[in-house]
Amino acid sequence: MNETVTALVARSHRLGADPRNTNYAGGNTSAKGSATDPVTGEPVELVWVKGSGGDLGTLTPSGLAVLRLDRVRALADVYPGVEREDEMVAAFDFCLHGRGGAAPSIDTAMHGLVGAPHVDHLHPDSGIALATAADGENLTKECFGDRVVWVPWRRPGFQLGLDIAAIREAHPQAIGVILGGHGITAWGETSEECEARSLEIIAAAAEFLARRGVAEPFGAVVPGNEPLPEAERRAKAAALAPVIRGLASTDHRQVGHFTDSAAVLEFLAREKLVPLAELGTSCPDHFLRTKVKPLVVDLPAAAPVEDVVTRLRELHAAYREDYRAYYDRHAAPDSPAMRGADPAIVLVPGVGMFSFGRDKQTARVAGEFYVNAINVMRGAEAVSSYAPIPESEKFRIEYWALEEAKLARMPKPKPLATRVALVTGAASGIGKAIAQRLAAEGACVVVADLDAERAAEVAAGIGNADRAIGVAADVADETGVEGAFAAAALAFGGVDLVVNNAGLSISKPLLDTTVADWDLQHDVMAKGSFLVSRAAARVMIDQGTGGDIVYVSSKNSLFAGPNNVAYGATKADQAHQVRLLAAELGPYGIRVNGINPDGVVRGSGIFAGGWGAQRAEVYGVPEEELGAYYARRTLLGREVLPEHVAAAAFALTGGDLSQTTGLHVPVDSGVAAAFLR
């Protein structure tokens, strides 16, 4: 690999690894150097720049845009002026060198036109605090002298690149600039010098804010807005999350994230919360993720959940009207259509912050960006007053044609994207296969199982906490079930798709079946399914966006086999729950369907736990041949595997059967005695 590229990627990783330097996917780095032109064999001067949408902390060489430096600089000669500067982004495509690489970002001009070999553009909280202070220019001079130069707000683009290049030429002693309302840019003759200068600016700004700042920049604590005790706080958050998620999904379904960090709770408790929140965020990366401003609940922390829900609905309606007015104030005839009027950030004093996005990562990052914004507001208020860029400028960026083009380049979402699934008994067998399939189709998954350690292992195998979490859940215990749904609400905002899969089986003749056997069988499956479905229905009704409940029942709900009274009876109970709940929950848009598998031996926790040996004895075959035995007695003669049941679960919930409820799907390779009649 080219040494210049190696050094650039390493520098990017170091800068991107520390949130004090820049936010996720924020900022960009570049390096200029030479490579061999594959056509002429001669050296050619290039600039490597982090591409559009990439993240510094995880940057790879393929995430760099590679451009010919002479062609980038030649664009200055054909630049048509600031009114048409957006056209220059398309011109970057004609400067690209080689095949592959990332799409050039709007900041490419800054990196290519500035004369230094290495350039960093970052969004550190300390730097943005100075950039958004009402007297930021004077504070910048006081903090840095002539070593860092103030640049008044200008929307990112070609003209800003020309401006910074001219400033560097006019101020040879400067190591970088503070970009008003935005962030910082630094440069150097070597990669090491550039990185050191970036860190110097960030550290000096942080030290200045700490030394010059007032003790309580957000004002006094508002009585009643103090943080609730942790257990009470998180219980209230879990109760509110599905309601808030439903409201935030009015235009487009969203996944949620909850944050109750000390920085958030302290901001929510202070008297400047409402006026500062109303001003909104400033750095373009911030408000593109968090929207122009958050929704703030104006009730004390101890207000009953019911009162908060009522007020949330009122505030949400007002927020949507206000956002529509914001759009109408600034939209031009050629502006992109309004993307949605729901908040991305909801602040509840004493409880915490709820953030939303098209997936869990986007929701989490939106919350992280708002924490960045809180830090920025704290710093600006500590030494001055917070003065973000004007609302009109925020609109120009939020509804920028270039931003719209970036959104259009995003891959098509998977069928279950934005859906949150909770699968019981998901640490092995059918449940594990279902959890894995739903995640593969785009869902966030809660892997619930009596065995917490194995549930965590399955979740980790699916992905990080943005994709799946493992929770302990005894479905026969009401408190345990409620706890699993609370965990789902705190992790993802709620639940849309629930699979009742947890089960066990006791195979005994009637006369050998004890009351304890009967009770255990029914507690786990009949009662357990009832408890899970009831908890699911509460969440789904609170969300107001419909949902799916799937029962993994059995062919034994229909087929009368020998020595199976407890298991067969509870499976029949589950099967009728499907019909009863389909009838009851249909008006809420909640579909309830069932799957009737048979003979799923391979990977099954039930069969491995003794059921297989019992059934093999009943049928007079070796246990290791039980799967083949079941297959031979079917019409298709094929063994049923966990992934076949998982496929049925996806078929019922993936969208193609949206008008279907109350259905039982057999996945048994054809057992005529279990045909539905």
Side-chain angles (χ1 to χ4, degrees), residues 637-648:
R638 300 172 189 162
E639 185 173 356
V640 181
L641 302 176
E643 50 263 40
H644 298 141
V645 186

Side-chain angles (χ1 to χ4, degrees), residues 258-628:
F258 174 69
T259 308
D260 60 349
S261 65
V264 169
L265 293 172
E266 190 252 349
F267 178 59
L268 299 186
R270 299 285 175 162
E271 61 184 352
K272 289 187 180 180
L273 163 64
V274 172
L276 287 175
E278 184 66 22
L279 290 174
T281 52
S282 185
C283 174
D285 267 23
H286 290 183
F287 62 76
L288 282 173
R289 303 275 189 158
T290 66
K291 259 187 168 162
V292 66
K293 62 183 178 181
L295 184 156
V296 182
V297 172
D298 54 1
L299 293 177
V305 169
E306 296 76 13
D307 292 353
V308 178
V309 168
T310 298
R311 186 61 179 143
L312 273 166
R313 298 190 188 284
E314 297 168 350
L315 291 169
H316 177 252
Y319 185 99
R320 287 176 59 82
E321 291 179 8
D322 185 62
Y323 188 87
R324 166 63 74 178
Y326 154 76
Y327 180 87
D328 290 342
R329 278 195 299 275
H330 302 294
D334 60 347
S335 293
M338 190 172 73
R339 299 189 193 102
D342 299 314
I345 303 291
V346 176
L347 305 176
V348 183
V351 178
M353 171 175 64
F354 301 84
S355 54
F356 299 92
R358 65 181 180 274
D359 52 37
K360 169 66 176 186
Q361 183 191 60
T362 305
R364 174 178 55 78
V365 169
E368 291 172 359
F369 274 56
Y370 200 79
V371 172
N372 290 134
I374 290 172
N375 295 336
V376 166
M377 289 185 276
R378 181 189 296 107
E381 288 287 315
V383 294
S384 177
S385 60
Y386 175 63
I389 63 175
E391 181 186 87
S392 58
E393 287 297 293
K394 294 180 183 181
F395 182 87
R396 288 183 68 215
I397 291 178
E398 184 178 358
Y399 285 94
W400 201 353
L402 297 178
E403 184 65 27
E404 192 74 8
K406 183 191 294 186
L407 294 173
R409 289 196 300 269
M410 295 181 64
K412 182 180 178 181
K414 293 182 177 180
L416 295 181
T418 73
R419 304 286 298 280
V420 179
L422 186 149
V423 184
T424 67
S428 64
I430 291 173
K432 178 180 177 180
I434 291 174
Q436 292 171 331
R437 179 63 187 271
L438 298 181
E441 300 293 348
C444 299
V445 178
V446 179
V447 178
D449 199 274
L450 191 61
D451 189 329
E453 185 175 343
R454 291 180 65 191
E457 290 174 358
V458 171
I462 290 172
N464 62 23
D466 288 341
R467 298 192 61 205
I469 63 168
V471 300
D474 179 355
V475 297
D477 176 66
E478 183 175 7
T479 301
V481 169
E482 296 295 335
F485 279 87
L490 293 175
F492 302 117
V495 169
D496 309 291
L497 194 169
V498 169
V499 181
N500 272 309
N501 171 73
L504 78 162
S505 185
I506 300 169
S507 176
K508 292 182 180 180
L510 172 64
L511 299 183
D512 294 338
T513 301
T514 67
V515 171
D517 293 334
W518 180 271
D519 288 346
L520 177 59
Q521 194 76 77
H522 282 71
D523 278 351
V524 172
M525 292 195 290
K527 176 184 171 185
S529 295
F530 153 70
L531 290 174
V532 170
S533 295
R534 186 180 66 174
R538 285 172 177 162
V539 171
M540 293 175 185
I541 291 170
D542 282 347
Q543 288 174 164
T545 54
D548 283 285
I549 300 175
V550 176
Y551 281 66
V552 179
S553 184
S554 170
K555 108 357 183 132
N556 288 292
S557 65
L558 299 160
F559 176 78
N563 303 340
N564 203 18
V565 62
Y567 180 80
T570 195
K571 282 300 183 182
D573 186 312
Q574 285 186 310
H576 200 49
Q577 284 186 38
V578 169
R579 293 182 279 268
L580 292 166
L581 297 186
E584 182 174 343
L585 300 178
Y588 299 102
I590 300 170
R591 305 180 317 117
V592 187
N593 293 291
I595 303 171
N596 289 345
D598 183 47
V600 186
V601 177
R602 213 178 300 179
S604 168
I606 288 179
F607 277 92
W611 170 251
Q614 293 168 347
R615 299 316 291 168
E617 183 179 355
V618 168
Y619 296 121
V621 298
E623 184 178 356
E624 62 272 16
E625 297 179 12
L626 186 59

Side-chain angles (χ1 to χ4, degrees), residues 555 596-599 630 634-636 638 640 665-672 674-675:
K555 108 357 183 132
N596 289 345
D598 183 47
Y630 282 134
T634 67
L635 300 176
L636 298 177
R638 300 172 189 162
V640 181
V665 177
V667 183
D668 57 13
S669 284
V671 178
F675 282 176

Side-chain angles (χ1 to χ4, degrees), residues 148-171:
V148 176
V149 180
W150 173 265
V151 179
W153 161 258
R154 183 183 290 280
R155 188 174 67 162
F158 202 85
Q159 186 61 55
L160 181 60
L162 289 170
D163 292 349
I164 297 174
I167 286 171
R168 181 181 178 275
E169 290 297 316
H171 300 82

